[in-house]
Amino acid sequence: MKVQQLASIAAWMNSHRHRQPMEYHIYTMVLTLWLMALIGLPVSIALNPLLLFVCAAGVILPDAYFSLRARLHMRQKLRCDWLPAGARSSHD
């Protein structure tokens, strides 16, 4: 995901956080873990290669979360009103 897409979803979450507080907090956690993974990636290479896998998983976390939510929404298992905010543009 591009940072612009993450920011669009974050803006949507922020504007709807009073109606959907759980969604807001989960997405904030996803972004926090993603940022921690980005910062920890160079350090993990130098200090402990095993942490590299943990950081790599954290880097792909926003994409995985978006994909999971989209699949659950399509199967009508979970309603996800913020999907259009993070939808990929046609010229990506």
Side-chain angles (χ1 to χ4, degrees):
M1 284 191 110
K2 294 186 177 192
V3 174
Q4 186 176 22
Q5 291 170 302
L6 296 173
S8 295
I9 296 170
W12 190 95
M13 292 288 184
N14 195 34
S15 66
H16 293 85
R17 73 175 180 238
H18 299 294
R19 288 188 302 155
Q20 298 172 334
M22 183 64 86
E23 292 245 18
Y24 172 76
H25 291 299
I26 290 172
Y27 190 72
T28 301
M29 182 182 65
V30 167
L31 288 183
T32 302
L33 292 173
W34 171 71
L35 187 58
M36 288 171 57
L38 282 177
I39 292 169
L41 197 58
V43 175
S44 69
I45 293 170
L47 296 180
N48 189 349
L50 186 60
L51 290 177
L52 180 63
F53 296 109
V54 175
C55 288
V59 169
I60 64 168
L61 186 61
D63 277 321
Y65 181 70
F66 186 85
S67 298
L68 174 67
R69 294 297 300 257
R71 266 184 281 149
L72 291 173
H73 182 77
M74 282 191 300
R75 293 180 186 161
Q76 297 180 346
K77 302 274 185 194
L78 182 68
R79 183 175 165 181
C80 194
D81 296 332
W82 55 264
L83 282 175
R88 299 180 192 279
S89 63
S90 60
H91 53 276
D92 270 353

